[in-house]
């Protein structure tokens, strides 16, 4: 974010070598004229206050198959949930969803692919916190673009894939907070919603080639991180940022997401519990997914629009991250 800078221009003034009476020299005539000190006082502009924010966040996630929760061996900065993966930091959140169609291909591992995407995103953002990092200069922290971070992560995973024989692909969404700006990069059908005073003020749109065929990065895909949607949203203290995989957004309509969040926070978003928010949304998504007879869902609505018969929710991995925007008390060394 560019910030206005005031440049003080100092003027040198040549004084005469021969002394004269003060009233003979107009620059000494102060009647009706400002003094040099007055000029400097007027040149001073009030300092702009940079309101810096952070997330107080929590995640709630459930794989469609309970056995798809691998033990955390500490190798990754991301968490795997079935074929979903996510990371969370005080300044950023991200979710990736490994494309399930690879399950029919022997040796494919979309779950590992999505986990690596989120791992390397988190690792790149961690470098920005390190003032001694050789990969970034002093301005990189404030100028960071989530699309660039996704690109770097993708390049790392592509290199790993060649070395390890990794096959798979994934959708991804990243949000980064800088001062009062939320920066978003979204590729595919994960999603982001920002809620303020019980109203949605921002929502990403899905990127689909066709029904149930999202944009994705990975093996055999023509999509790339440069195809990701990019947004910048001004935020305020108390805004609630919801980041989720399609397992949530396919099963809960947007207005119901807002209703659930409003009910959980009870009128005080700043004091809202992100864990309670994330868990309430995850439970509702799973409830709809398991109801194949009476529930209605966004996925069902889209299927009907395509001329397909479909009833109920969509069973899938569900990942929900809830971040409450709060004033930051500490700033990184780069600030």
């Amino acid at each position: 974010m560019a910030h206005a800078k005031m440049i003080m221009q100092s003027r040198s003034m040549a004084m005469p070598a021969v002394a004269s009476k003060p009233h003979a020299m107009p620059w000494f005539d102060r009647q009706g004229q400002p003094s040099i000190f007055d000029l400097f006082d007027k040149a001073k502009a009030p300092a702009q206050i940079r309101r810096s924010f952070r997330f107080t966040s929590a995640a709630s996630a459930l794989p469609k198959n309970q056995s798809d929760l691998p033990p955390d061996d500490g190798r990754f900065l991301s968490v795997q949930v079935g074929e979903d993966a996510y990371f969370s930091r005080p300044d950023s959140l991200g979710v990736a969803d490994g494309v399930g169609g690879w399950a029919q291909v022997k040796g494919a591992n979309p779950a590992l692919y999505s986990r690596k995407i989120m791992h390397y995103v988190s690792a790149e953002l961690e470098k920005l916190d390190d003032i001694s990092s050789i990969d970034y200069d002093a301005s990189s922290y404030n100028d960071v673009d989530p699309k660039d971070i996704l690109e770097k992560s993708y390049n790392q995973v592509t290199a790993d894939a060649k070395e390890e024989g990794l096959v798979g692909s994934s959708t991804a969404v990243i949000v980064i907070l800088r001062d009062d700006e939320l920066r978003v990069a979204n590729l595919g059908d994960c999603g982001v919603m920002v809620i303020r005073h019980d109203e949605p003020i921002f929502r990403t749109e899905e990127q689909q080639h066709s029904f149930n065929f999202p944009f994705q990065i990975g093996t055999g895909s023509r999509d790339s991180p440069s195809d990701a949607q990019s947004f910048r949203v001004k935020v305020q203290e108390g805004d609630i940022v919801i980041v989720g995989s399609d397992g949530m957004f396919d099963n809960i309509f947007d207005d119901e997401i807002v209703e659930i969040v409003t009910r959980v926070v009870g009128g005080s978003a700043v004091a809202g519990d992100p864990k309670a928010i994330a868990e309430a949304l995850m439970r509702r998504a799973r409830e709809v997914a398991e109801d194949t007879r009476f529930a209605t869902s966004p996925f069902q609505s889209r299927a009907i629009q395509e001329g397909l018969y479909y009833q109920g929710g969509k069973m899938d991995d569900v990942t929900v991250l809830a971040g409450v925007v709060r004033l930051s008390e500490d700033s990184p060394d780069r600030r």
Side-chain angles (χ1 to χ4, degrees):
M1 180 181 300
H3 293 274
K5 294 184 179 178
M6 183 193 71
I7 301 176
M8 184 76 73
Q9 293 183 348
S10 57
R11 296 188 177 95
S12 57
M13 188 162 54
M15 299 296 292
V18 180
S20 303
K21 293 182 180 179
H23 60 76
M25 293 182 291
W27 49 79
F28 279 118
D29 183 5
R30 296 191 178 185
Q31 293 184 0
Q33 299 293 330
S35 72
I36 187 105
F37 302 104
D38 294 330
L39 293 174
F40 273 101
D41 286 339
K42 290 182 179 179
K44 294 179 181 178
Q48 290 187 341
I49 299 175
R50 295 174 60 185
R51 294 173 64 83
S52 183
F53 296 98
R54 62 176 175 82
F55 286 124
T56 299
S57 66
S60 184
L62 188 67
K64 57 186 172 184
N65 300 315
Q66 293 291 340
S67 59
D68 290 343
L69 274 175
D72 187 0
D73 57 10
R75 290 188 302 144
F76 295 98
L77 297 174
S78 58
V79 179
Q80 184 179 333
V81 184
E83 291 168 344
D84 286 1
Y86 70 88
F87 78 91
S88 61
R89 291 165 37 92
D91 67 342
S92 50
L93 306 168
V95 174
D97 180 5
V99 176
W102 286 105
Q104 309 304 319
V105 178
K106 185 178 180 180
N109 194 341
L112 180 59
Y113 198 97
S114 66
R115 189 172 194 183
K116 279 178 172 282
I117 285 288
M118 290 293 96
H119 165 77
Y120 285 122
V121 166
S122 185
E124 283 299 318
L125 291 168
E126 197 171 80
K127 291 178 185 178
L128 289 168
D129 293 338
D130 183 4
I131 196 170
S132 63
S133 172
I134 62 173
D135 296 319
Y136 296 99
D137 59 28
S139 64
S140 297
Y141 180 89
N142 287 318
D143 296 340
V144 63
D145 185 333
K147 282 181 71 170
D148 294 340
I149 297 297
L150 182 59
E151 179 84 44
K152 290 178 182 293
S153 173
Y154 171 68
N155 291 339
Q156 290 272 12
V157 178
T158 300
D160 286 356
K162 290 180 180 179
E163 183 177 339
E164 303 169 9
L166 175 62
V167 174
S169 60
S170 178
T171 64
V173 61
I174 308 166
V175 300
I176 301 174
L177 263 180
R178 286 296 181 265
D179 293 332
D180 62 347
E181 185 175 76
L182 184 73
R183 303 173 188 178
V184 181
N186 180 55
L187 183 89
D189 57 3
C190 292
V192 178
M193 177 183 286
V194 181
I195 300 170
R196 177 182 300 159
H197 304 313
D198 304 335
E199 296 288 341
I201 66 163
F202 173 78
R203 167 74 154 88
T204 54
E205 295 183 0
E206 293 182 352
Q207 288 180 305
Q208 299 269 7
H209 292 290
S210 59
F211 175 66
N212 209 27
F213 178 22
F215 281 39
Q216 55 199 272
I217 47 177
T219 309
S221 177
R222 295 182 179 180
D223 304 325
S224 72
S226 63
D227 295 315
Q229 301 167 320
S230 184
F231 307 95
R232 298 199 173 199
V233 184
K234 289 293 185 181
V235 294
Q236 300 176 7
E237 186 176 19
D239 285 356
I240 297 172
V241 180
I242 305 298
V243 183
S245 64
D246 64 331
M248 184 193 73
F249 286 105
D250 277 346
N251 285 302
I252 314 179
F253 289 99
D254 288 358
D255 56 355
E256 187 176 6
I257 292 174
V258 176
E259 289 173 7
I260 292 170
V261 171
T262 301
R263 183 172 67 248
V264 172
V265 300
S268 178
V270 175
D273 179 3
K275 185 65 174 176
I277 295 170
E279 288 181 346
L281 291 170
M282 189 277 292
R283 286 195 302 269
R284 178 55 180 161
R286 189 56 177 245
E287 178 184 3
V288 174
E290 291 176 342
D291 187 344
T292 59
R293 297 185 61 189
F294 302 109
T296 58
S297 69
F299 186 82
Q300 173 188 316
S301 297
R302 289 192 294 271
I304 292 173
Q305 289 173 1
E306 295 292 325
L308 304 173
Y309 173 76
Y310 193 92
Q311 180 63 48
K314 178 189 176 187
M315 181 54 68
D316 202 352
D317 305 315
V318 179
T319 299
V320 184
L321 277 65
V324 179
V325 177
R326 296 194 170 118
L327 281 171
S328 178
E329 297 177 357
D330 302 316
S331 298
D333 291 339
R334 289 189 181 278
R335 300 294 299 277

